[in-house]
Amino acid sequence: MEGKIIVITSGKGGVGKTTATAALGAAIALEGKRVAVVDMDIGLRNLDVVMGLENRIVFNVVDLAKGRCKVKQASIKDRRIENLFLIPASQSDNKNTLSTDDMIRLCKKLREEFDIVLIDCPAGIEQGFENSVIGADEAVVVCTPEVSAVRDADRIIGLLYARSITPKLVVNRIVPRLVASGDMLSHKDVVDVLSIELIGLVCMDDFVITSTNTGTPIVLDRESRAGQAFRRIAMRLLGNTEIPIVDPLEDSKGFWNRISSKIGLRKA
């Protein structure tokens, strides 16, 4: 059975897309799937740093797409999570280096090797976006509760629908205190505007900064609310739609303890 390719996109940069890609890849691998996360931000790679694998790069996604190496050579195995692999971006090329035909051939190779492939799409709607979505089966749109992020996400959603890809939504970096005071959009506001399926809510969490700086998967931190939110999103992506979406505005600690104890993510 061929693997599934999911593009993680946003339109606007700086909304936590790369962190989300790394977290979801780790969480899905923890569920026993063989996962590749692919950095398509050619020229500006960051996913390798977020995953703590920056010193192990020999080949990259351009080498693989151009046939200069094999999938096994370009795939860097994570040190902590079995079945998790990174295919890094090139820093010496630009987003126009690859064509959509290159990407279609690359996606075919990756489907044969992995159960799930997560593509970290660069910001914008130029060639990097076209290359990232051309082989995708599904899309996850990451959006923060900001007007500019919502507007850009809306543009991306239209482009995805035009390519017959149905997007799902993650609202990231929610600050409950600001939402409660009316100084930040609520996730309901975002969903009302974007009108796509919501699959997860992730609150602002200082643990994410520590995780990014140390290259440690946030989903391994049982105290991180963001990490646990990404684990729930990953399970929904795998078809476990009964997993509830936790609203950060609720009495999240008590509610989450009850839910997580049922699904085995954290001791009650």
Side-chain angles (χ1 to χ4, degrees):
M1 183 176 177
E2 288 192 333
K4 180 187 295 182
I5 295 181
I6 303 173
V7 61
I8 313 296
T9 186
S10 62
K12 183 179 182 297
V15 300
K17 178 170 45 57
T18 296
T19 300
T21 303
L24 292 174
I28 294 172
L30 287 172
E31 295 300 314
K33 301 295 185 182
R34 183 174 169 85
V35 179
V37 292
V38 182
D39 190 348
M40 282 302 297
D41 204 353
I42 296 172
L44 292 172
R45 72 182 180 210
N46 284 308
L47 190 53
D48 56 318
V49 174
V50 172
M51 296 179 68
L53 298 172
E54 67 274 17
N55 294 326
R56 299 173 61 188
I57 297 174
V58 177
F59 295 103
N60 56 59
V61 68
V62 174
D63 295 322
L64 181 57
K66 295 293 186 183
R68 296 194 285 259
C69 66
K70 297 181 178 179
V71 172
K72 186 176 182 180
Q73 292 173 297
S75 304
I76 304 172
K77 190 177 185 304
D78 189 84
R79 291 169 295 189
R80 294 142 300 200
I81 300 177
E82 192 72 19
N83 294 329
L84 177 61
F85 298 84
L86 164 69
I87 299 177
S90 165
Q91 276 192 315
S92 58
D93 295 290
N94 62 55
K95 295 179 175 61
N96 296 318
T97 299
L98 297 180
S99 67
T100 52
D101 287 342
D102 291 330
M103 288 303 299
I104 290 171
R105 288 192 291 271
L106 173 61
C107 288
K108 184 175 186 300
K109 293 179 184 176
L110 296 178
R111 289 180 195 278
E112 295 170 355
E113 299 287 339
F114 300 98
D115 298 316
I116 301 288
V117 177
L118 299 182
I119 295 182
D120 185 17
C121 177
I125 57 174
E126 291 80 23
Q127 188 63 40
F129 171 80
E130 297 293 340
N131 288 342
S132 298
V133 304
I134 189 68
D137 303 300
E138 298 179 6
V140 172
V141 175
V142 180
C143 184
T144 52
E146 304 166 89
V147 172
S148 58
V150 174
R151 183 175 66 179
D152 288 357
D154 192 40
R155 171 72 168 140
I156 287 294
I157 289 166
L159 294 173
L160 291 168
Y161 275 128
R163 290 157 178 76
S164 301
I165 302 172
T166 302
K168 298 177 180 177
L169 176 66
V170 170
V171 183
N172 193 26
R173 296 180 180 166
I174 298 169
V175 182
R177 172 179 54 83
L178 295 180
V179 176
S181 65
D183 294 318
M184 175 178 274
L185 296 174
S186 71
H187 75 270
K188 294 178 181 176
D189 296 327
V190 178
V191 172
D192 282 347
V193 172
L194 299 180
S195 299
I196 61 173
E197 180 188 354
L198 177 70
I199 60 165
L201 302 172
V202 184
C203 65
M204 184 73 82
D205 186 345
D206 290 344
F207 284 104
V208 173
I209 298 174
T210 305
S211 167
T212 300
N213 288 338
T214 61
T216 305
I218 187 69
V219 296
L220 295 179
D221 191 330
R222 300 300 177 97
E223 299 301 318
S224 167
R225 294 175 64 194
Q228 300 309 305
F230 280 120
R231 290 199 68 173
R232 296 192 294 274
I233 294 168
M235 285 191 280
R236 278 193 286 276
L237 283 174
L238 292 175
N240 300 303
T241 54
E242 74 280 8
I243 302 295
I245 296 174
V246 178
D247 184 346
L249 282 177
E250 296 183 20
D251 183 7
S252 56
K253 187 173 181 179
F255 179 70
W256 169 231
N257 278 344
R258 293 194 299 273
I259 296 299
S260 57
S261 64
K262 290 183 178 179
I263 60 178
L265 294 182
R266 185 180 177 185
K267 294 180 180 178

